[in-house]
mmCIF file with all atom_site columns, all heavy atoms in Angstrom:
data_model
loop_
_atom_site.group_PDB
_atom_site.id
_atom_site.type_symbol
_atom_site.label_atom_id
_atom_site.label_alt_id
_atom_site.label_comp_id
_atom_site.label_asym_id
_atom_site.label_entity_id
_atom_site.label_seq_id
_atom_site.pdbx_PDB_ins_code
_atom_site.Cartn_x
_atom_site.Cartn_y
_atom_site.Cartn_z
_atom_site.occupancy
_atom_site.B_iso_or_equiv
_atom_site.pdbx_formal_charge
_atom_site.auth_seq_id
_atom_site.auth_comp_id
_atom_site.auth_asym_id
_atom_site.auth_atom_id
_atom_site.pdbx_PDB_model_num
ATOM 1   N N   . ARG J 1 48  ? 90.926 91.096  111.153 1.00 92.00 ? 48  ARG J N   1
ATOM 2   C CA  . ARG J 1 48  ? 89.998 90.475  111.951 1.00 92.00 ? 48  ARG J CA  1
ATOM 3   C C   . ARG J 1 48  ? 90.536 89.452  112.788 1.00 92.00 ? 48  ARG J C   1
ATOM 4   O O   . ARG J 1 48  ? 89.989 88.492  113.173 1.00 92.00 ? 48  ARG J O   1
ATOM 5   C CB  . ARG J 1 48  ? 88.815 89.774  110.984 1.00 92.00 ? 48  ARG J CB  1
ATOM 6   C CG  . ARG J 1 48  ? 89.482 89.023  109.912 1.00 92.00 ? 48  ARG J CG  1
ATOM 7   C CD  . ARG J 1 48  ? 88.391 88.233  109.059 1.00 92.00 ? 48  ARG J CD  1
ATOM 8   N NE  . ARG J 1 48  ? 87.714 89.055  108.287 1.00 92.00 ? 48  ARG J NE  1
ATOM 9   C CZ  . ARG J 1 48  ? 87.901 89.610  107.070 1.00 92.00 ? 48  ARG J CZ  1
ATOM 10  N NH1 . ARG J 1 48  ? 89.276 89.413  106.647 1.00 92.00 ? 48  ARG J NH1 1
ATOM 11  N NH2 . ARG J 1 48  ? 87.253 90.276  106.404 1.00 92.00 ? 48  ARG J NH2 1
ATOM 12  N N   . ARG J 1 51  ? 89.081 87.904  116.050 1.00 92.00 ? 51  ARG J N   1
ATOM 13  C CA  . ARG J 1 51  ? 88.028 86.928  116.070 1.00 92.00 ? 51  ARG J CA  1
ATOM 14  C C   . ARG J 1 51  ? 88.642 85.599  116.469 1.00 92.00 ? 51  ARG J C   1
ATOM 15  O O   . ARG J 1 51  ? 88.033 84.801  117.091 1.00 92.00 ? 51  ARG J O   1
ATOM 16  C CB  . ARG J 1 51  ? 87.446 86.718  114.775 1.00 92.00 ? 51  ARG J CB  1
ATOM 17  C CG  . ARG J 1 51  ? 86.701 88.007  114.252 1.00 92.00 ? 51  ARG J CG  1
ATOM 18  C CD  . ARG J 1 51  ? 86.060 87.888  112.967 1.00 92.00 ? 51  ARG J CD  1
ATOM 19  N NE  . ARG J 1 51  ? 85.569 89.109  112.422 1.00 92.00 ? 51  ARG J NE  1
ATOM 20  C CZ  . ARG J 1 51  ? 84.930 89.255  111.240 1.00 92.00 ? 51  ARG J CZ  1
ATOM 21  N NH1 . ARG J 1 51  ? 84.580 88.259  110.467 1.00 92.00 ? 51  ARG J NH1 1
ATOM 22  N NH2 . ARG J 1 51  ? 84.446 90.421  110.859 1.00 92.00 ? 51  ARG J NH2 1
ATOM 23  N N   . HIS J 1 69  ? 95.329 97.345  111.459 1.00 96.00 ? 69  HIS J N   1
ATOM 24  C CA  . HIS J 1 69  ? 94.146 97.123  110.677 1.00 96.00 ? 69  HIS J CA  1
ATOM 25  C C   . HIS J 1 69  ? 94.228 98.219  109.372 1.00 96.00 ? 69  HIS J C   1
ATOM 26  O O   . HIS J 1 69  ? 94.732 99.203  109.455 1.00 96.00 ? 69  HIS J O   1
ATOM 27  C CB  . HIS J 1 69  ? 92.914 97.647  111.476 1.00 96.00 ? 69  HIS J CB  1
ATOM 28  C CG  . HIS J 1 69  ? 91.521 97.066  110.949 1.00 96.00 ? 69  HIS J CG  1
ATOM 29  N ND1 . HIS J 1 69  ? 90.911 97.692  109.900 1.00 96.00 ? 69  HIS J ND1 1
ATOM 30  C CD2 . HIS J 1 69  ? 90.922 95.967  111.371 1.00 96.00 ? 69  HIS J CD2 1
ATOM 31  C CE1 . HIS J 1 69  ? 89.762 96.949  109.664 1.00 96.00 ? 69  HIS J CE1 1
ATOM 32  N NE2 . HIS J 1 69  ? 89.742 95.927  110.529 1.00 96.00 ? 69  HIS J NE2 1
ATOM 33  N N   . CYS J 1 70  ? 93.618 97.627  108.245 1.00 91.00 ? 70  CYS J N   1
ATOM 34  C CA  . CYS J 1 70  ? 93.674 98.456  107.008 1.00 91.00 ? 70  CYS J CA  1
ATOM 35  C C   . CYS J 1 70  ? 92.552 99.582  107.132 1.00 91.00 ? 70  CYS J C   1
ATOM 36  O O   . CYS J 1 70  ? 92.693 100.411 106.142 1.00 91.00 ? 70  CYS J O   1
ATOM 37  C CB  . CYS J 1 70  ? 93.496 97.479  105.935 1.00 91.00 ? 70  CYS J CB  1
ATOM 38  S SG  . CYS J 1 70  ? 91.748 96.763  105.753 1.00 91.00 ? 70  CYS J SG  1
ATOM 39  N N   . LEU J 1 71  ? 91.678 99.503  108.076 1.00 91.00 ? 71  LEU J N   1
ATOM 40  C CA  . LEU J 1 71  ? 90.657 100.566 108.171 1.00 91.00 ? 71  LEU J CA  1
ATOM 41  C C   . LEU J 1 71  ? 89.610 100.479 107.054 1.00 91.00 ? 71  LEU J C   1
ATOM 42  O O   . LEU J 1 71  ? 88.822 101.344 106.862 1.00 91.00 ? 71  LEU J O   1
ATOM 43  C CB  . LEU J 1 71  ? 91.175 102.017 108.376 1.00 91.00 ? 71  LEU J CB  1
ATOM 44  C CG  . LEU J 1 71  ? 92.198 102.252 109.563 1.00 91.00 ? 71  LEU J CG  1
ATOM 45  C CD1 . LEU J 1 71  ? 92.314 103.741 109.700 1.00 91.00 ? 71  LEU J CD1 1
ATOM 46  C CD2 . LEU J 1 71  ? 91.595 101.575 110.898 1.00 91.00 ? 71  LEU J CD2 1
ATOM 47  N N   . ASP J 1 72  ? 89.692 99.289  106.403 1.00 87.00 ? 72  ASP J N   1
ATOM 48  C CA  . ASP J 1 72  ? 88.538 99.176  105.377 1.00 87.00 ? 72  ASP J CA  1
ATOM 49  C C   . ASP J 1 72  ? 87.653 98.038  106.043 1.00 87.00 ? 72  ASP J C   1
ATOM 50  O O   . ASP J 1 72  ? 88.135 96.860  106.099 1.00 87.00 ? 72  ASP J O   1
ATOM 51  C CB  . ASP J 1 72  ? 89.062 98.689  104.031 1.00 87.00 ? 72  ASP J CB  1
ATOM 52  C CG  . ASP J 1 72  ? 87.990 98.432  103.039 1.00 87.00 ? 72  ASP J CG  1
ATOM 53  O OD1 . ASP J 1 72  ? 86.902 98.225  103.233 1.00 87.00 ? 72  ASP J OD1 1
ATOM 54  O OD2 . ASP J 1 72  ? 88.343 98.451  101.819 1.00 87.00 ? 72  ASP J OD2 1
ATOM 55  N N   . PHE J 1 73  ? 86.481 98.450  106.437 1.00 86.00 ? 73  PHE J N   1
ATOM 56  C CA  . PHE J 1 73  ? 85.630 97.578  107.243 1.00 86.00 ? 73  PHE J CA  1
ATOM 57  C C   . PHE J 1 73  ? 84.768 96.640  106.470 1.00 86.00 ? 73  PHE J C   1
ATOM 58  O O   . PHE J 1 73  ? 83.920 95.856  107.199 1.00 86.00 ? 73  PHE J O   1
ATOM 59  C CB  . PHE J 1 73  ? 84.896 98.453  108.296 1.00 86.00 ? 73  PHE J CB  1
ATOM 60  C CG  . PHE J 1 73  ? 85.680 99.397  109.246 1.00 86.00 ? 73  PHE J CG  1
ATOM 61  C CD1 . PHE J 1 73  ? 85.798 100.705 108.766 1.00 86.00 ? 73  PHE J CD1 1
ATOM 62  C CD2 . PHE J 1 73  ? 86.558 98.825  110.053 1.00 86.00 ? 73  PHE J CD2 1
ATOM 63  C CE1 . PHE J 1 73  ? 86.552 101.618 109.540 1.00 86.00 ? 73  PHE J CE1 1
ATOM 64  C CE2 . PHE J 1 73  ? 87.376 99.632  110.783 1.00 86.00 ? 73  PHE J CE2 1
ATOM 65  C CZ  . PHE J 1 73  ? 87.420 100.989 110.548 1.00 86.00 ? 73  PHE J CZ  1
ATOM 66  N N   . ASP J 1 74  ? 84.893 96.708  105.180 1.00 79.00 ? 74  ASP J N   1
ATOM 67  C CA  . ASP J 1 74  ? 84.111 95.709  104.414 1.00 79.00 ? 74  ASP J CA  1
ATOM 68  C C   . ASP J 1 74  ? 84.550 94.232  104.781 1.00 79.00 ? 74  ASP J C   1
ATOM 69  O O   . ASP J 1 74  ? 85.825 93.994  105.052 1.00 79.00 ? 74  ASP J O   1
ATOM 70  C CB  . ASP J 1 74  ? 84.483 95.931  102.884 1.00 79.00 ? 74  ASP J CB  1
ATOM 71  C CG  . ASP J 1 74  ? 83.538 95.131  102.047 1.00 79.00 ? 74  ASP J CG  1
ATOM 72  O OD1 . ASP J 1 74  ? 83.837 93.765  101.892 1.00 79.00 ? 74  ASP J OD1 1
ATOM 73  O OD2 . ASP J 1 74  ? 82.648 95.631  101.339 1.00 79.00 ? 74  ASP J OD2 1
ATOM 74  N N   . GLU J 1 75  ? 83.721 93.283  104.762 1.00 76.00 ? 75  GLU J N   1
ATOM 75  C CA  . GLU J 1 75  ? 84.007 92.008  105.316 1.00 76.00 ? 75  GLU J CA  1
ATOM 76  C C   . GLU J 1 75  ? 84.883 91.259  104.277 1.00 76.00 ? 75  GLU J C   1
ATOM 77  O O   . GLU J 1 75  ? 85.561 90.198  104.615 1.00 76.00 ? 75  GLU J O   1
ATOM 78  C CB  . GLU J 1 75  ? 82.720 91.090  105.525 1.00 76.00 ? 75  GLU J CB  1
ATOM 79  C CG  . GLU J 1 75  ? 82.003 91.571  106.886 1.00 76.00 ? 75  GLU J CG  1
ATOM 80  C CD  . GLU J 1 75  ? 82.967 91.341  108.019 1.00 76.00 ? 75  GLU J CD  1
ATOM 81  O OE1 . GLU J 1 75  ? 83.398 90.228  108.299 1.00 76.00 ? 75  GLU J OE1 1
ATOM 82  O OE2 . GLU J 1 75  ? 83.320 92.364  108.781 1.00 76.00 ? 75  GLU J OE2 1
ATOM 83  N N   . GLU J 1 76  ? 85.055 91.842  103.164 1.00 70.00 ? 76  GLU J N   1
ATOM 84  C CA  . GLU J 1 76  ? 85.911 91.088  102.250 1.00 70.00 ? 76  GLU J CA  1
ATOM 85  C C   . GLU J 1 76  ? 87.294 91.678  102.230 1.00 70.00 ? 76  GLU J C   1
ATOM 86  O O   . GLU J 1 76  ? 88.292 91.341  101.592 1.00 70.00 ? 76  GLU J O   1
ATOM 87  C CB  . GLU J 1 76  ? 85.377 91.297  100.676 1.00 70.00 ? 76  GLU J CB  1
ATOM 88  C CG  . GLU J 1 76  ? 84.205 90.502  100.446 1.00 70.00 ? 76  GLU J CG  1
ATOM 89  C CD  . GLU J 1 76  ? 84.281 89.004  100.554 1.00 70.00 ? 76  GLU J CD  1
ATOM 90  O OE1 . GLU J 1 76  ? 85.369 88.498  100.553 1.00 70.00 ? 76  GLU J OE1 1
ATOM 91  O OE2 . GLU J 1 76  ? 83.297 88.350  100.647 1.00 70.00 ? 76  GLU J OE2 1
ATOM 92  N N   . ASN J 1 77  ? 87.449 92.645  103.148 1.00 76.00 ? 77  ASN J N   1
ATOM 93  C CA  . ASN J 1 77  ? 88.696 93.271  103.331 1.00 76.00 ? 77  ASN J CA  1
ATOM 94  C C   . ASN J 1 77  ? 89.089 93.168  104.694 1.00 76.00 ? 77  ASN J C   1
ATOM 95  O O   . ASN J 1 77  ? 89.283 92.163  105.292 1.00 76.00 ? 77  ASN J O   1
ATOM 96  C CB  . ASN J 1 77  ? 88.702 94.738  102.792 1.00 76.00 ? 77  ASN J CB  1
ATOM 97  C CG  . ASN J 1 77  ? 88.494 94.869  101.410 1.00 76.00 ? 77  ASN J CG  1
ATOM 98  O OD1 . ASN J 1 77  ? 89.216 94.209  100.544 1.00 76.00 ? 77  ASN J OD1 1
ATOM 99  N ND2 . ASN J 1 77  ? 87.522 95.617  100.937 1.00 76.00 ? 77  ASN J ND2 1
ATOM 100 N N   . GLY J 1 78  ? 89.269 94.302  105.558 1.00 81.00 ? 78  GLY J N   1
ATOM 101 C CA  . GLY J 1 78  ? 89.714 94.158  106.867 1.00 81.00 ? 78  GLY J CA  1
ATOM 102 C C   . GLY J 1 78  ? 88.743 93.637  107.888 1.00 81.00 ? 78  GLY J C   1
ATOM 103 O O   . GLY J 1 78  ? 89.005 93.065  108.916 1.00 81.00 ? 78  GLY J O   1
ATOM 104 N N   . GLY J 1 79  ? 87.363 93.871  107.567 1.00 85.00 ? 79  GLY J N   1
ATOM 105 C CA  . GLY J 1 79  ? 86.357 93.469  108.456 1.00 85.00 ? 79  GLY J CA  1
ATOM 106 C C   . GLY J 1 79  ? 86.121 94.495  109.540 1.00 85.00 ? 79  GLY J C   1
ATOM 107 O O   . GLY J 1 79  ? 86.926 95.270  109.960 1.00 85.00 ? 79  GLY J O   1
ATOM 108 N N   . TYR J 1 80  ? 84.998 94.276  110.272 1.00 85.00 ? 80  TYR J N   1
ATOM 109 C CA  . TYR J 1 80  ? 84.595 95.247  111.314 1.00 85.00 ? 80  TYR J CA  1
ATOM 110 C C   . TYR J 1 80  ? 85.445 95.002  112.564 1.00 85.00 ? 80  TYR J C   1
ATOM 111 O O   . TYR J 1 80  ? 86.171 93.915  112.761 1.00 85.00 ? 80  TYR J O   1
ATOM 112 C CB  . TYR J 1 80  ? 83.040 95.140  111.630 1.00 85.00 ? 80  TYR J CB  1
ATOM 113 C CG  . TYR J 1 80  ? 82.665 93.919  112.515 1.00 85.00 ? 80  TYR J CG  1
ATOM 114 C CD1 . TYR J 1 80  ? 82.630 94.056  113.930 1.00 85.00 ? 80  TYR J CD1 1
ATOM 115 C CD2 . TYR J 1 80  ? 82.559 92.597  112.078 1.00 85.00 ? 80  TYR J CD2 1
ATOM 116 C CE1 . TYR J 1 80  ? 82.242 93.044  114.759 1.00 85.00 ? 80  TYR J CE1 1
ATOM 117 C CE2 . TYR J 1 80  ? 82.212 91.592  112.751 1.00 85.00 ? 80  TYR J CE2 1
ATOM 118 C CZ  . TYR J 1 80  ? 82.142 91.759  114.155 1.00 85.00 ? 80  TYR J CZ  1
ATOM 119 O OH  . TYR J 1 80  ? 81.712 90.608  115.008 1.00 85.00 ? 80  TYR J OH  1
ATOM 120 N N   . ILE J 1 81  ? 85.421 95.901  113.499 1.00 92.00 ? 81  ILE J N   1
ATOM 121 C CA  . ILE J 1 81  ? 86.224 95.763  114.759 1.00 92.00 ? 81  ILE J CA  1
ATOM 122 C C   . ILE J 1 81  ? 85.237 95.733  115.898 1.00 92.00 ? 81  ILE J C   1
ATOM 123 O O   . ILE J 1 81  ? 84.408 96.644  116.031 1.00 92.00 ? 81  ILE J O   1
ATOM 124 C CB  . ILE J 1 81  ? 87.212 96.880  114.918 1.00 92.00 ? 81  ILE J CB  1
ATOM 125 C CG1 . ILE J 1 81  ? 88.306 97.018  113.768 1.00 92.00 ? 81  ILE J CG1 1
ATOM 126 C CG2 . ILE J 1 81  ? 87.867 96.952  116.272 1.00 92.00 ? 81  ILE J CG2 1
ATOM 127 C CD1 . ILE J 1 81  ? 89.057 98.243  113.761 1.00 92.00 ? 81  ILE J CD1 1
ATOM 128 N N   . TYR J 1 83  ? 85.214 96.595  119.292 1.00 93.00 ? 83  TYR J N   1
ATOM 129 C CA  . TYR J 1 83  ? 85.927 97.538  120.134 1.00 93.00 ? 83  TYR J CA  1
ATOM 130 C C   . TYR J 1 83  ? 85.796 96.961  121.568 1.00 93.00 ? 83  TYR J C   1
ATOM 131 O O   . TYR J 1 83  ? 86.790 96.973  122.483 1.00 93.00 ? 83  TYR J O   1
ATOM 132 C CB  . TYR J 1 83  ? 85.621 98.951  120.116 1.00 93.00 ? 83  TYR J CB  1
ATOM 133 C CG  . TYR J 1 83  ? 85.912 99.519  118.716 1.00 93.00 ? 83  TYR J CG  1
ATOM 134 C CD1 . TYR J 1 83  ? 84.849 99.609  117.806 1.00 93.00 ? 83  TYR J CD1 1
ATOM 135 C CD2 . TYR J 1 83  ? 87.160 99.867  118.451 1.00 93.00 ? 83  TYR J CD2 1
ATOM 136 C CE1 . TYR J 1 83  ? 85.222 100.148 116.403 1.00 93.00 ? 83  TYR J CE1 1
ATOM 137 C CE2 . TYR J 1 83  ? 87.488 100.476 117.088 1.00 93.00 ? 83  TYR J CE2 1
ATOM 138 C CZ  . TYR J 1 83  ? 86.487 100.502 116.187 1.00 93.00 ? 83  TYR J CZ  1
ATOM 139 O OH  . TYR J 1 83  ? 86.841 101.001 114.962 1.00 93.00 ? 83  TYR J OH  1
ATOM 140 N N   . HIS J 1 118 ? 88.262 108.788 103.758 1.00 85.00 ? 118 HIS J N   1
ATOM 141 C CA  . HIS J 1 118 ? 86.887 108.255 104.050 1.00 85.00 ? 118 HIS J CA  1
ATOM 142 C C   . HIS J 1 118 ? 86.982 107.159 105.120 1.00 85.00 ? 118 HIS J C   1
ATOM 143 O O   . HIS J 1 118 ? 86.275 107.030 106.038 1.00 85.00 ? 118 HIS J O   1
ATOM 144 C CB  . HIS J 1 118 ? 86.299 107.743 102.811 1.00 85.00 ? 118 HIS J CB  1
ATOM 145 C CG  . HIS J 1 118 ? 85.015 106.989 102.960 1.00 85.00 ? 118 HIS J CG  1
ATOM 146 N ND1 . HIS J 1 118 ? 83.841 107.681 103.321 1.00 85.00 ? 118 HIS J ND1 1
ATOM 147 C CD2 . HIS J 1 118 ? 84.714 105.669 102.971 1.00 85.00 ? 118 HIS J CD2 1
ATOM 148 C CE1 . HIS J 1 118 ? 82.837 106.728 103.495 1.00 85.00 ? 118 HIS J CE1 1
ATOM 149 N NE2 . HIS J 1 118 ? 83.387 105.522 103.360 1.00 85.00 ? 118 HIS J NE2 1
ATOM 150 N N   . CYS J 1 119 ? 87.956 106.260 104.910 1.00 85.00 ? 119 CYS J N   1
ATOM 151 C CA  . CYS J 1 119 ? 88.220 105.133 105.886 1.00 85.00 ? 119 CYS J CA  1
ATOM 152 C C   . CYS J 1 119 ? 88.500 105.693 107.278 1.00 85.00 ? 119 CYS J C   1
ATOM 153 O O   . CYS J 1 119 ? 87.966 105.169 108.375 1.00 85.00 ? 119 CYS J O   1
ATOM 154 C CB  . CYS J 1 119 ? 89.311 104.183 105.389 1.00 85.00 ? 119 CYS J CB  1
ATOM 155 S SG  . CYS J 1 119 ? 88.892 103.227 103.946 1.00 85.00 ? 119 CYS J SG  1
ATOM 156 N N   . PHE J 1 120 ? 89.291 106.634 107.309 1.00 89.00 ? 120 PHE J N   1
ATOM 157 C CA  . PHE J 1 120 ? 89.762 107.199 108.642 1.00 89.00 ? 120 PHE J CA  1
ATOM 158 C C   . PHE J 1 120 ? 88.553 107.940 109.225 1.00 89.00 ? 120 PHE J C   1
ATOM 159 O O   . PHE J 1 120 ? 88.396 107.719 110.540 1.00 89.00 ? 120 PHE J O   1
ATOM 160 C CB  . PHE J 1 120 ? 90.925 108.146 108.389 1.00 89.00 ? 120 PHE J CB  1
ATOM 161 C CG  . PHE J 1 120 ? 91.323 108.859 109.804 1.00 89.00 ? 120 PHE J CG  1
ATOM 162 C CD1 . PHE J 1 120 ? 91.731 108.029 110.784 1.00 89.00 ? 120 PHE J CD1 1
ATOM 163 C CD2 . PHE J 1 120 ? 91.337 110.281 109.996 1.00 89.00 ? 120 PHE J CD2 1
ATOM 164 C CE1 . PHE J 1 120 ? 92.164 108.595 112.010 1.00 89.00 ? 120 PHE J CE1 1
ATOM 165 C CE2 . PHE J 1 120 ? 91.756 110.739 111.136 1.00 89.00 ? 120 PHE J CE2 1
ATOM 166 C CZ  . PHE J 1 120 ? 92.134 109.985 112.087 1.00 89.00 ? 120 PHE J CZ  1
ATOM 167 N N   . LEU J 1 122 ? 85.379 107.136 108.947 1.00 87.00 ? 122 LEU J N   1
ATOM 168 C CA  . LEU J 1 122 ? 84.525 106.129 109.411 1.00 87.00 ? 122 LEU J CA  1
ATOM 169 C C   . LEU J 1 122 ? 84.977 105.431 110.687 1.00 87.00 ? 122 LEU J C   1
ATOM 170 O O   . LEU J 1 122 ? 84.345 105.188 111.651 1.00 87.00 ? 122 LEU J O   1
ATOM 171 C CB  . LEU J 1 122 ? 84.317 105.095 108.334 1.00 87.00 ? 122 LEU J CB  1
ATOM 172 C CG  . LEU J 1 122 ? 83.353 103.956 108.663 1.00 87.00 ? 122 LEU J CG  1
ATOM 173 C CD1 . LEU J 1 122 ? 81.938 104.474 108.938 1.00 87.00 ? 122 LEU J CD1 1
ATOM 174 C CD2 . LEU J 1 122 ? 83.299 103.003 107.482 1.00 87.00 ? 122 LEU J CD2 1
ATOM 175 N N   . PHE J 1 123 ? 86.411 105.219 110.863 1.00 89.00 ? 123 PHE J N   1
ATOM 176 C CA  . PHE J 1 123 ? 86.947 104.624 111.904 1.00 89.00 ? 123 PHE J CA  1
ATOM 177 C C   . PHE J 1 123 ? 86.891 105.549 113.144 1.00 89.00 ? 123 PHE J C   1
ATOM 178 O O   . PHE J 1 123 ? 86.444 105.159 114.246 1.00 89.00 ? 123 PHE J O   1
ATOM 179 C CB  . PHE J 1 123 ? 88.472 104.482 111.687 1.00 89.00 ? 123 PHE J CB  1
ATOM 180 C CG  . PHE J 1 123 ? 89.321 104.195 112.813 1.00 89.00 ? 123 PHE J CG  1
ATOM 181 C CD1 . PHE J 1 123 ? 89.268 102.945 113.501 1.00 89.00 ? 123 PHE J CD1 1
ATOM 182 C CD2 . PHE J 1 123 ? 90.255 105.209 113.394 1.00 89.00 ? 123 PHE J CD2 1
ATOM 183 C CE1 . PHE J 1 123 ? 89.977 102.775 114.531 1.00 89.00 ? 123 PHE J CE1 1
ATOM 184 C CE2 . PHE J 1 123 ? 90.977 104.883 114.531 1.00 89.00 ? 123 PHE J CE2 1
ATOM 185 C CZ  . PHE J 1 123 ? 90.844 103.639 115.117 1.00 89.00 ? 123 PHE J CZ  1
ATOM 186 N N   . LEU J 1 124 ? 86.969 106.834 112.940 1.00 88.00 ? 124 LEU J N   1
ATOM 187 C CA  . LEU J 1 124 ? 86.813 107.814 114.220 1.00 88.00 ? 124 LEU J CA  1
ATOM 188 C C   . LEU J 1 124 ? 85.324 107.754 114.687 1.00 88.00 ? 124 LEU J C   1
ATOM 189 O O   . LEU J 1 124 ? 85.106 107.728 115.807 1.00 88.00 ? 124 LEU J O   1
ATOM 190 C CB  . LEU J 1 124 ? 87.195 109.160 113.705 1.00 88.00 ? 124 LEU J CB  1
ATOM 191 C CG  . LEU J 1 124 ? 88.742 109.424 113.562 1.00 88.00 ? 124 LEU J CG  1
ATOM 192 C CD1 . LEU J 1 124 ? 88.924 110.846 113.140 1.00 88.00 ? 124 LEU J CD1 1
ATOM 193 C CD2 . LEU J 1 124 ? 89.463 109.175 114.803 1.00 88.00 ? 124 LEU J CD2 1
ATOM 194 N N   . GLN J 1 126 ? 83.216 105.260 114.444 1.00 86.00 ? 126 GLN J N   1
ATOM 195 C CA  . GLN J 1 126 ? 82.943 103.940 115.013 1.00 86.00 ? 126 GLN J CA  1
ATOM 196 C C   . GLN J 1 126 ? 83.844 103.619 116.274 1.00 86.00 ? 126 GLN J C   1
ATOM 197 O O   . GLN J 1 126 ? 83.298 102.770 117.134 1.00 86.00 ? 126 GLN J O   1
ATOM 198 C CB  . GLN J 1 126 ? 83.042 102.824 114.011 1.00 86.00 ? 126 GLN J CB  1
ATOM 199 C CG  . GLN J 1 126 ? 82.203 102.973 112.895 1.00 86.00 ? 126 GLN J CG  1
ATOM 200 C CD  . GLN J 1 126 ? 82.359 101.802 111.815 1.00 86.00 ? 126 GLN J CD  1
ATOM 201 O OE1 . GLN J 1 126 ? 83.493 101.191 111.759 1.00 86.00 ? 126 GLN J OE1 1
ATOM 202 N NE2 . GLN J 1 126 ? 81.481 101.542 110.879 1.00 86.00 ? 126 GLN J NE2 1
#
Side-chain angles (χ1 to χ4, degrees):
R48 57 174 67 76
R51 298 182 188 180
H69 200 283
C70 66
L71 301 191
D72 184 337
F73 304 107
D74 187 288
E75 282 303 296
E76 293 296 343
N77 296 307
Y80 80 95
I81 298 174
Y83 296 98
H118 171 74
C119 289
F120 178 57
L122 184 59
F123 168 71
L124 288 181
Q126 296 178 343

